[in-house]
Every structure is written in structure tokens, then in C-alpha cells.
Amino acid sequence: MSTLPPLPDTGPIIRVENLTIGYGGKPVLENVSFEVRRGEVLVILGGSGSGKSTLLKHMIGLYTPMTGRVLIGGDDIVHAEGAQRQAILRRFGVMYQHGALFGSMTLLENVRLPLETFTALSARAIDLVARTKIDLVQLTGAEDRLPAELSGGMRKRAAIARAMALDPGILFLDEPSAGLDPIVSADIDQLVLRLSRNLGVTFVVVSHELPSIFAIASRVVMLDRRSKSIAASGDPRELREHAPDEWVRRFLNREPEPA
């Protein structure tokens, strides 16, 4: 196991530098750069086809960019290999859009799995940690249920609990409110805010749900399919009223294209 230095207490926790990403040699985003600050909730948003989820998958190391790099705690996940890459991956957890829970495992078994795989803790300690994470997402009592027996909102919470199993400082969430009714969506928003404020977790969230964005975002990075770049970044409430780009204001105010 690599012994990377601890993450610094100041400065950005993630840096995306001059990133160009795409498929089959055709770029979706070009020369994109931005930072994620420690402890904030950064939301990546944009219209359909703007590259939101694709960008997130590059940030967590699932895809290799055409050019550029992604630094997590100062270490480049794009070019890291072997034990060093594994050590970087341990710094964050991921909640995928559809949860990606193992259907044959109970909720408790799903949350236990990262601990069983990546730690040398005793079975009793693993059980205690897993139950603590389940309690953090308010699913106590559902430990023995299979994913098919959970509601959509409960599956999202379960996926967040599993992403938190190894105590990462960063959580990536892909469309956490997608497919949920307004009340359940608001509950997920409150969970994100509570984990951010109480535990100091840094969140990178992909979303197109405007109510959730305005509820949770410290800052947004807004992608534009037309320019294949960042159209705006900053406080979404400020951008809604004062963004220099009229398209950004229309998007955030949910206004139709002019006739």
C-alpha cells in the first residue's frame, strides 16, 4: 500500500486542469479547468448532452481524458498506477445514479463489502462501522432488506452509506435526486447538507434538478454543450439573477428559448 501524504488542510481538495474529454476522438468538453474547495458542495450542471456525467466519470478515474489531469489532494489520478492509484481511490466514495447496489446482498452486506475488501478489521468492527453508516443515512431497521425491497429514496441513501464506508473525505454523487418525488428529493438534499456541515465531507454532485441545486450548492460549474466548455461558475442564486450569459440566466430561471 502506498503511503501518500495526508491531504492538506488548506487550498482546493480537487483540481481539474486543462481537461479535454470525449469519445472516439471527438471531444465533449475541451480545456476545462476548475477547483473544488474542501468542505463545499459543488454541483456540476448543464443541459442534456453537455457532459456532466462524463466529466464526473473522468474525475473518479473511470475514463482516461484526451488531455489534462485531475488532482485529488495534489495527486494526479489520471497518471497514477498500482498502489498509488489505489491510495487515491480510497480518498473518495461514489454514489452512482441508479445506486449500483448488489441485488443479492442485504443493505448491511452491501455496506460491509468495502470494509471486508479493503480493511483488516474484525467482523465485529466491520459490522459496527457498517451499522453506524446506515444510521447516518437514517436507514436503521432496514439492514436485512434486499435492494429490491427498498424504495428509490432508500436505495439512494443506501448507496451513500456504502460510499461512506471507508470514511472518505470526498463523495461524488451522480444525479442523487433523479426519479424521486419532491418530498423524497428534499430529504436527500437535507442528508447532503447534514453530512457536509456535521462531518465536513466535500461533495461533487451531478444534477439537473434546479430545486435541489439551489438547496444544496455552495457553488456550481455549469457546462455548455455549444462551446464544449464551462459557461459559468459561482453561487447559483447569484448566477440566476446576474450571470453575464443570457442562456445561463434562462436555464437557471427555467425560461424557454425566445420565439
Side-chain angles (χ1 to χ4, degrees), residues 93-103 107 110-111 114 147 150-163 172-178 180:
V94 184
M95 189 219 79
Y96 297 97
Q97 182 173 349
H98 300 293
L101 299 171
F102 291 98
L107 166 58
N110 266 282
V111 179
L150 303 175
S151 68
M154 292 172 76
R155 285 194 294 272
K156 300 272 190 178
R157 289 174 178 269
I160 291 173
R162 188 177 63 183
F172 291 89
L173 309 184
D174 190 7
E175 299 284 5
S177 301
L180 303 180

Side-chain angles (χ1 to χ4, degrees), residues 8 23 101 115 117 134 160 164-165 178 181 194 209 223 230 235 251:
Y23 304 99
L101 299 171
L115 295 158
T117 304
I134 290 170
I160 291 173
M164 295 174 58
D181 69 47
R194 187 168 65 251
E209 304 283 346
L223 306 180
I230 296 174
D235 185 325
F251 187 103

Side-chain angles (χ1 to χ4, degrees), residues 77-90:
I77 193 172
V78 173
H79 299 104
E81 297 179 349
Q84 184 188 34
R85 179 178 173 85
Q86 289 300 315
I88 298 171
L89 293 174
R90 289 280 297 271

Side-chain angles (χ1 to χ4, degrees), residues 125-246:
I126 287 174
D127 196 70
L128 177 62
V129 173
R131 290 179 184 276
T132 299
K133 303 308 179 186
I134 290 170
D135 183 62
L136 279 175
V137 300
Q138 298 177 323
L139 284 180
T140 299
E143 292 89 346
D144 295 328
R145 295 191 197 178
L146 295 171
E149 299 172 314
L150 303 175
S151 68
M154 292 172 76
R155 285 194 294 272
K156 300 272 190 178
R157 289 174 178 269
I160 291 173
R162 188 177 63 183
M164 295 174 58
L166 298 175
D167 290 323
I170 307 165
L171 287 180
F172 291 89
L173 309 184
D174 190 7
E175 299 284 5
S177 301
L180 303 180
D181 69 47
I183 293 176
V184 176
S185 178
D187 288 340
I188 297 294
D189 293 343
Q190 289 304 306
L191 173 61
V192 169
L193 290 174
R194 187 168 65 251
L195 295 175
S196 174
R197 291 168 180 168
N198 294 348
L199 301 181
V201 176
T202 301
F203 281 90
V204 178
V205 182
V206 167
S207 181
H208 66 276
E209 304 283 346
L210 289 178
S212 289
I213 291 166
F214 289 120
I216 67 173
S218 312
R219 207 162 46 91
V220 298
V221 168
M222 189 167 183
L223 306 180
D224 184 1
R225 184 177 60 181
R226 303 165 303 172
S227 64
K228 299 179 182 179
S229 64
I230 296 174
S233 63
D235 185 325
R237 293 152 288 269
E238 184 72 17
L239 292 173
R240 179 172 52 186
E241 303 300 326
H242 304 296
D245 188 328
E246 181 184 357

Side-chain angles (χ1 to χ4, degrees), residues 17-21 29-31 64-69 78-79:
E17 296 183 348
N18 305 313
L19 205 67
T20 295
I21 60 178
L29 293 168
E30 296 180 308
N31 201 35
T64 301
M66 299 166 71
T67 63
R69 60 183 190 162
V78 173
H79 299 104

